[in-house]
Amino acid sequence: MLFVISEQAYILNGTTTWQGFEHEAEVGSVVRSRILKDGGWRQMANQQYLEVVALILLEDDRVLMAQRPEGDPWSGLWEFPGGKVEAGESREAALAREIREELGLEIIVGDCFLAVKRATPVSLQLYAYFGRRGEGEPQSNAHAALAWVKLSELHKLPMPMPDIAVALALQERYCMPSPDSQ
């Protein structure tokens, strides 16, 4: 699992273009973050945080994305579907519940792919899990729209910063050319 601890945004090794920014050059002076592999969270004393889960539903080379509805603080932005973990609920149970409620879809929750911590302006921990479809077809019960997006085109969607970190990690893992293809 790859842990990202971020004050404002995200950054990955290499030069990746995301929404018009070249990350090592232009964004490097704006973004303050770091990546810990097989590390742990650094807890901030006496700070409350919101724990949320997100689904990475991959089919072929596409991933299911959801657009936040009007009236939402992040209205119009695209995200990996999911939601808040309730008190006493496991992250896996929360993800299954949220997807059932938001998409009318039963899922089989897989491994946690990435955990993102954002400390400002609100402390948030997002856990992105792989999942497989169980019963049903995705329906937009809580979003403005749903879309199956090619992994190679995720960078074209406006997203909240935690979702951008997940998208970048997915692209780094699945879309980078292998050394043999160069």
Side-chain angles (χ1 to χ4, degrees), residues 49-166:
Y49 68 91
L50 178 64
E51 189 174 44
V52 295
V53 288
L55 173 66
I56 302 169
L57 186 58
L58 283 171
E59 293 189 3
D60 300 318
D61 67 339
R62 301 172 309 144
V63 64
L64 184 65
M65 299 298 293
Q67 188 178 38
R68 303 285 293 221
E70 289 256 346
D72 185 272
W74 289 342
S75 176
L77 297 182
W78 291 85
E79 66 180 359
F80 294 90
K84 296 180 188 115
V85 177
E86 301 294 337
E89 187 177 41
S90 73
R91 291 190 290 267
E92 295 83 357
L95 183 57
R97 176 187 50 76
E98 286 285 348
I99 297 305
R100 189 178 316 109
E101 291 171 2
E102 291 184 0
L103 304 179
L105 183 66
E106 295 296 328
I107 61 166
I108 299 154
V109 179
D111 293 333
C112 186
F113 170 66
L114 185 76
V116 179
K117 183 173 183 178
R118 183 173 181 194
T120 59
V122 174
S123 187
L124 173 109
Q125 290 181 331
L126 177 136
Y127 296 87
Y129 285 82
F130 287 111
R132 293 190 327 264
R133 270 200 243 197
E135 293 184 25
E137 288 295 319
Q139 302 166 14
S140 184
N141 297 333
H143 295 92
L146 298 176
W148 288 98
V149 180
K150 287 187 172 202
L151 286 173
S152 62
E153 302 203 355
L154 280 173
H155 66 280
K156 295 179 181 179
L157 297 179
M159 296 179 193
M161 288 299 176
D163 292 272
I164 290 173
V166 175

